Amino acid sequence: MNKDKLLEAFWPRLSRIASTYEAIPQLQQELVQEMAMAIWLSLNSFRGDSSVETFMYKISHNVGVGHIKKQVKQVKTTSEDYDIPVTFSLEKGIANDQQLDRLMSAIWQLPLIQRQIITLYLDGVKQQNIAEIVGMSENNIAVKITRTKKSLARLMSND
């Protein structure tokens, strides 16, 4: 198992995952680095209980949840302390894509667990693996995906 190649292939997904946990671009980049380091260190303990991809998603998810917990405990700053764009995009190369910006804006209006699940779903992760990553039953994930799609459709039609 070549850790460098695995992490390089997974890198674009880290940016998308981090964007569901952190809205401030500078902190997103720090979170991506934190997730990458956690994956790098954990790959040595990979036992093969799931796919390597699912293993990396689960680590990223756990780091993201830890990030949220740390943010809640810290002193709040104002958005004026950071240069926050009005809309968010999944990757810098597609920042001008208005539909994607609208989708990300709508995703940010969802509760955290729905953001996590729909981001994994949109990334092509199977429901069974999403269930394993977030620690829910597969049936519960299916219901949450359906409800989240309806919520997103509603939010995007209100624009």
Side-chain angles (χ1 to χ4, degrees):
M1 166 171 49
N2 185 331
K3 293 192 316 187
D4 291 330
K5 288 185 180 180
L6 285 171
L7 200 52
E8 183 179 336
F10 198 71
W11 195 267
R13 294 176 184 176
L14 285 177
S15 295
R16 291 190 292 268
I17 294 166
S19 72
T20 65
Y21 291 97
E22 181 57 62
I24 301 167
Q26 294 90 338
L27 295 179
Q28 277 180 17
Q29 289 307 311
E30 288 179 22
L31 185 56
V32 167
Q33 295 293 327
E34 198 176 324
M35 288 174 174
M37 181 58 76
I39 290 171
W40 176 263
L41 294 172
S42 298
L43 279 173
N44 291 333
S45 64
F46 177 65
R47 296 184 311 254
D49 297 342
S50 63
S51 71
V52 174
E53 184 179 85
T54 300
F55 182 75
M56 291 190 295
Y57 273 118
K58 188 161 187 131
I59 293 167
S60 302
H61 167 75
N62 290 339
V63 171
V65 168
H67 175 77
I68 296 286
K69 287 179 181 177
K70 280 191 281 187
Q71 295 298 324
V72 168
K73 290 179 183 177
Q74 290 181 352
V75 176
K76 300 292 182 195
T77 59
T78 65
S79 61
E80 296 165 1
D81 295 338
Y82 300 94
D83 180 25
I84 301 175
V86 175
T87 57
F88 306 102
S89 63
L90 293 176
E91 296 176 19
K92 291 178 184 178
I94 49 178
N96 294 330
D97 185 345
Q98 292 177 351
Q99 188 67 13
L100 188 55
D101 288 344
R102 286 181 59 228
L103 175 61
M104 280 308 295
S105 183
I107 288 173
W108 262 100
Q109 295 176 49
L110 298 171
L112 177 61
I113 190 65
Q114 286 182 313
R115 288 195 319 252
Q116 294 166 335
I117 291 169
I118 201 67
T119 301
L120 291 167
Y121 176 78
L122 292 173
D123 218 13
V125 179
K126 295 178 182 175
Q127 288 183 16
Q128 176 184 5
N129 294 339
I130 294 172
E132 182 180 337
I133 292 165
V134 299
M136 293 182 171
S137 72
E138 195 172 342
N139 287 341
N140 198 353
I141 294 299
V143 170
K144 288 199 177 288
I145 288 171
T146 301
R147 289 180 182 166
T148 302
K149 284 181 182 179
K150 289 177 184 176
S151 294
L152 284 174
R154 231 180 4 263
L155 288 168
M156 292 181 73
S157 69
N158 290 339
D159 285 349

